[in-house]
Amino acid sequence: MGVPPSSNSRWKEIVTGKKTYTLKFLAAKILLGRLIRNVNSDSSPENVAKAVAELHAIYTKNADNASAKEDLQTMFG
């Protein structure tokens, strides 16, 4: 499975904490914790878009990582 486009609404649900998953990819797990806290304190559309871009970028950069692939399968099925 490839990395879904950042325009996929599931990314927004993930960074806002509306959808939660048990992630295997440690770097993304740490990043996501920070992003959710950041979005909870400032839920402006710009901040949410920035959070989506950061999370999408880490998965795009590590798309060949086994843990990242497993996370993408879990999140986007």
Side-chain angles (χ1 to χ4, degrees):
M1 162 179 236
V3 180
S6 59
S7 59
N8 186 312
S9 63
R10 182 76 47 91
W11 290 110
K12 184 177 176 182
E13 293 171 346
I14 294 167
V15 299
T16 58
K18 291 180 181 169
K19 293 269 186 186
T20 58
Y21 300 96
T22 302
L23 302 179
K24 306 277 189 202
F25 185 40
L26 183 60
K29 190 175 189 175
I30 293 167
L31 175 63
L32 183 58
R34 182 178 58 80
L35 293 175
I36 289 172
R37 285 191 303 278
N38 189 9
V39 167
N40 283 339
S41 67
D42 174 10
S43 60
S44 67
E46 297 82 16
N47 200 40
V48 172
K50 182 180 171 191
V52 166
E54 283 188 62
L55 187 60
H56 184 266
I58 199 169
Y59 278 106
T60 300
K61 182 178 179 183
N62 295 281
D64 58 341
N65 179 293
S67 297
K69 286 181 183 179
E70 195 173 331
D71 283 358
L72 290 169
Q73 184 63 37
T74 299
M75 294 185 293
F76 295 95

